Coordinates of all heavy atoms in Angstrom, one line a residue:
R1 N -64.4 48.4 43.3 CA -63.4 49.5 43.3 C -64.0 50.8 42.9 O -63.8 51.8 43.5 CB -62.2 49.1 42.4 CG -61.3 48.0 42.9 CD -60.0 48.0 42.1 NE -60.2 47.8 40.7 CZ -60.3 46.6 40.0 NH1 -60.1 45.5 40.7 NH2 -60.5 46.6 38.7
M2 N -64.8 50.7 41.8 CA -65.4 51.9 41.3 C -66.4 52.5 42.3 O -66.5 53.7 42.6 CB -66.2 51.7 40.0 CG -65.2 51.5 38.8 SD -66.2 51.3 37.2 CE -67.0 52.9 37.1
S3 N -67.2 51.6 42.9 CA -68.2 52.0 43.9 C -67.5 52.7 45.1 O -68.0 53.7 45.6 CB -69.0 50.8 44.4 OG -69.8 50.3 43.3
A4 N -66.4 52.1 45.6 CA -65.7 52.6 46.7 C -65.1 54.0 46.4 O -65.2 54.9 47.2 CB -64.6 51.7 47.1
D5 N -64.6 54.1 45.2 CA -64.0 55.4 44.8 C -65.1 56.5 44.7 O -64.9 57.6 45.2 CB -63.3 55.2 43.4 CG -62.5 56.5 43.0 OD1 -61.7 57.0 43.8 OD2 -62.7 57.0 41.9
I6 N -66.2 56.1 44.0 CA -67.3 57.1 43.9 C -67.9 57.5 45.3 O -68.2 58.7 45.5 CB -68.4 56.6 43.0 CG1 -67.8 56.4 41.5 CG2 -69.6 57.5 43.0 CD1 -68.7 55.6 40.6
A7 N -68.0 56.5 46.1 CA -68.5 56.8 47.5 C -67.6 57.7 48.2 O -68.1 58.7 48.9 CB -68.7 55.5 48.2
R8 N -66.3 57.5 48.1 CA -65.4 58.4 48.8 C -65.4 59.8 48.3 O -65.5 60.8 49.0 CB -63.9 57.8 48.7 CG -63.6 56.7 49.7 CD -62.1 56.5 49.7 NE -61.6 56.0 48.4 CZ -61.5 54.7 48.1 NH1 -61.8 53.8 49.0 NH2 -61.1 54.3 46.9
R9 N -65.4 59.9 46.9 CA -65.4 61.2 46.3 C -66.7 62.0 46.5 O -66.7 63.2 46.5 CB -65.1 61.1 44.8 CG -63.7 60.6 44.5 CD -63.6 60.3 43.0 NE -62.3 59.7 42.7 CZ -61.2 60.4 42.4 NH1 -61.3 61.7 42.3 NH2 -60.1 59.8 42.1
S10 N -67.8 61.3 46.8 CA -69.1 62.0 46.9 C -69.5 62.2 48.4 O -70.6 62.6 48.7 CB -70.2 61.2 46.2 OG -70.4 59.9 46.9
G11 N -68.6 61.8 49.3 CA -68.9 61.9 50.7 C -69.9 60.9 51.2 O -70.8 61.1 52.0
G12 N -69.9 59.7 50.5 CA -70.7 58.6 51.0 C -72.2 58.7 50.5 O -73.1 58.1 51.1
R13 N -72.4 59.4 49.3 CA -73.8 59.6 48.8 C -74.2 58.5 47.8 O -75.2 58.7 47.1 CB -73.9 61.0 48.2 CG -73.8 62.1 49.3 CD -74.1 63.4 48.7 NE -73.0 63.9 47.8 CZ -73.2 64.4 46.6 NH1 -74.4 64.4 46.0 NH2 -72.2 64.8 45.8
L14 N -73.4 57.5 47.6 CA -73.8 56.5 46.6 C -74.5 55.3 47.2 O -74.1 54.7 48.2 CB -72.5 55.9 46.0 CG -72.7 54.8 44.9 CD1 -73.4 55.3 43.7 CD2 -71.3 54.2 44.6
D15 N -75.7 55.0 46.6 CA -76.5 53.8 47.0 C -76.3 52.8 45.9 O -76.7 53.0 44.8 CB -78.0 54.2 47.2 CG -78.2 55.0 48.4 OD1 -77.8 54.6 49.5 OD2 -78.8 56.1 48.3
V16 N -75.7 51.6 46.3 CA -75.4 50.6 45.3 C -76.5 49.5 45.4 O -76.5 48.7 46.2 CB -74.0 50.0 45.5 CG1 -73.7 49.0 44.4 CG2 -73.0 51.1 45.5
G17 N -77.5 49.7 44.5 CA -78.5 48.7 44.4 C -78.2 47.6 43.4 O -77.8 47.9 42.3
V18 N -78.3 46.3 43.8 CA -77.9 45.2 42.9 C -79.0 44.2 42.8 O -79.7 43.9 43.8 CB -76.6 44.6 43.5 CG1 -75.4 45.5 43.4 CG2 -76.7 44.1 44.9
G19 N -79.0 43.6 41.6 CA -80.0 42.5 41.4 C -79.4 41.4 40.6 O -78.3 41.5 40.0
L20 N -80.1 40.3 40.4 CA -79.6 39.1 39.7 C -79.7 39.2 38.2 O -78.8 38.6 37.5 CB -80.4 37.9 40.2 CG -80.1 37.3 41.5 CD1 -81.2 36.3 41.9 CD2 -78.8 36.6 41.5
G21 N -80.6 40.0 37.7 CA -80.9 40.0 36.2 C -81.7 38.8 35.8 O -81.8 37.8 36.6
Y22 N -82.4 38.9 34.7 CA -83.3 37.8 34.3 C -83.4 37.6 32.8 O -83.9 36.6 32.3 CB -84.7 38.1 34.8 CG -85.2 39.4 34.3 CD1 -86.0 39.5 33.1 CD2 -85.0 40.6 35.0 CE1 -86.5 40.6 32.6 CE2 -85.5 41.8 34.5 CZ -86.3 41.8 33.3 OH -86.8 43.0 32.9
R23 N -82.8 38.5 31.9 CA -82.9 38.4 30.5 C -81.8 37.5 29.9 O -80.6 37.8 30.1 CB -82.9 39.8 29.9 CG -84.0 40.7 30.3 CD -83.9 42.1 29.7 NE -84.1 42.0 28.2 CZ -83.3 42.6 27.3 NH1 -82.2 43.3 27.7 NH2 -83.6 42.6 26.0
D24 N -82.2 36.5 29.2 CA -81.3 35.6 28.6 C -80.3 36.3 27.6 O -79.1 36.0 27.6 CB -82.0 34.5 27.8 CG -82.7 33.5 28.7 OD1 -82.3 33.3 29.9 OD2 -83.7 32.8 28.2
V25 N -80.8 37.2 26.9 CA -80.0 37.9 25.9 C -78.8 38.7 26.6 O -77.7 38.8 26.0 CB -80.8 38.9 25.0 CG1 -81.4 40.1 25.9 CG2 -80.0 39.4 23.9
E26 N -79.1 39.1 27.8 CA -78.0 39.8 28.5 C -76.9 38.9 29.0 O -75.7 39.2 28.9 CB -78.6 40.6 29.7 CG -79.5 41.7 29.3 CD -80.2 42.5 30.4 OE1 -80.7 41.8 31.3 OE2 -80.3 43.7 30.3
F27 N -77.3 37.7 29.5 CA -76.3 36.8 29.9 C -75.6 36.2 28.7 O -74.3 36.1 28.7 CB -77.0 35.6 30.7 CG -77.4 36.0 32.1 CD1 -78.7 36.6 32.3 CD2 -76.5 35.9 33.1 CE1 -79.1 37.0 33.6 CE2 -76.9 36.3 34.4 CZ -78.2 36.9 34.6
D28 N -76.3 35.9 27.6 CA -75.6 35.4 26.4 C -74.7 36.4 25.9 O -73.5 36.1 25.5 CB -76.7 35.0 25.4 CG -77.5 33.8 25.8 OD1 -77.1 33.1 26.7 OD2 -78.6 33.6 25.2
G29 N -75.1 37.7 25.8 CA -74.3 38.7 25.2 C -73.0 39.0 26.0 O -72.0 39.4 25.5
K30 N -73.1 38.8 27.3 CA -72.0 39.0 28.2 C -71.1 37.7 28.4 O -70.1 37.8 29.0 CB -72.4 39.4 29.6 CG -73.0 40.8 29.6 CD -72.0 41.9 29.5 CE -72.5 43.3 29.7 NZ -71.5 44.3 29.7
G31 N -71.6 36.6 27.8 CA -70.8 35.4 27.9 C -70.9 34.8 29.3 O -69.9 34.1 29.7
V32 N -72.0 35.0 30.0 CA -72.1 34.5 31.3 C -73.3 33.5 31.3 O -74.4 33.7 30.8 CB -72.5 35.6 32.3 CG1 -72.8 35.1 33.7 CG2 -71.3 36.6 32.4
R33 N -73.1 32.3 32.0 CA -74.1 31.3 32.0 C -75.2 31.8 33.1 O -74.8 32.1 34.2 CB -73.6 30.0 32.5 CG -72.6 29.4 31.5 CD -72.3 27.9 31.8 NE -72.1 27.7 33.2 CZ -72.1 26.5 33.8 NH1 -72.4 25.4 33.1 NH2 -71.9 26.3 35.1

């Protein structure tokens, strides 16, 4: 939703790069396995 809103407001200038992540502390801190 946020990406779509920002893309619309910016005239389609948003590049959404996504990755898996790899740090255990980040998954643990977010409560995600």
Side-chain angles (χ1 to χ4, degrees):
R1 289 194 303 270
M2 287 185 65
S3 298
D5 187 52
I6 293 168
R8 278 193 295 265
R9 292 173 185 270
S10 65
R13 291 187 289 130
L14 179 65
D15 289 306
V16 185
V18 294
L20 282 168
Y22 59 90
R23 298 177 69 227
D24 288 337
V25 67
E26 293 177 317
F27 286 91
D28 292 344
K30 291 286 188 176
V32 175
R33 298 193 313 164

